Amino acid sequence: MITCLCPDRESTQALGARLAPTLRAGDVILLSGDMGAGKSEFARGVARGLGIACAVPSPSFTILNVYEEGRVPLYHFDWYRIGDESELTDMGLDEYIGGNGVTLIEWHERASDLLPETALEVRLTPLENGAREITLIPRGEWENTHDHPGN
């Protein structure tokens, strides 16, 4: 487990960008935090670090945004608005998780039964003046198969 203090959104994105080189196809990143905690900012940093140059909006209303132009594809989910897990299985979730790209999931707690055992949880906690504390928590075999950002 690693905890970092990010004083602003730029440093939140920078931490995501530092994580990106350690990611590979099949990896799953679980983004945790309240509304406005910085989950999408972190996702933008990961996208930038993967070589994705286009805008990376939150997929709040679309549930999934797919980016093919990076080093590996990026599947950015936001499960905040799902009614139940069947919505995700009906849209072919199993084609994305563990597939040929990196999967980022905001609000993963809404369908925890569908998550793989091995993932990296990124907890974002807002602090004063736009700062946030970000904790990286490996789940399953993650720690045995990945370097930490900055290593």
Side-chain angles (χ1 to χ4, degrees):
M1 181 166 56
I2 297 173
T3 299
C4 303
L5 177 63
C6 292
D8 51 34
R9 71 181 199 166
E10 290 81 13
S11 60
T12 299
Q13 288 182 17
L15 182 60
R18 281 181 48 205
L19 175 65
T22 71
L23 300 175
R24 57 185 175 259
D27 284 346
V28 177
I29 310 298
L30 309 173
L31 301 171
S32 300
D34 293 335
M35 190 78 65
K39 296 180 294 294
S40 291
E41 293 297 342
F42 188 88
R44 287 180 189 99
V46 170
R48 187 179 74 225
L50 290 175
I52 297 166
C54 66
V56 179
S58 174
S60 294
F61 294 98
T62 58
I63 300 177
L64 171 64
N65 290 337
V66 176
Y67 305 94
E68 299 281 348
E69 65 271 17
R71 179 175 56 81
V72 294
L74 176 64
Y75 310 122
H76 183 191
F77 283 93
D78 185 326
W79 292 355
Y80 184 74
R81 298 190 189 292
I82 65 163
D84 62 56
E85 293 176 358
S86 66
E87 288 181 53
L88 297 168
T89 55
D90 290 348
M91 71 183 287
L93 178 68
D94 57 337
E95 294 175 27
Y96 299 103
I97 291 182
N100 68 340
V102 170
T103 304
L104 290 172
I105 306 172
E106 298 185 37
W107 300 100
H108 62 90
E109 304 88 351
R110 301 210 184 254
S112 58
D113 290 343
L114 300 178
L115 300 174
E117 186 178 306
T118 297
L120 179 67
E121 182 177 354
V122 178
R123 281 194 195 147
L124 298 102
T125 305
L127 304 171
E128 294 181 7
N129 300 320
R132 53 188 57 100
E133 180 180 88
I134 301 177
T135 304
L136 307 177
I137 306 163
R139 292 182 171 191
E141 292 296 313
W142 184 278
E143 202 160 32
N144 297 329
T145 59
H146 289 77
D147 289 331
H148 295 293
N151 281 356

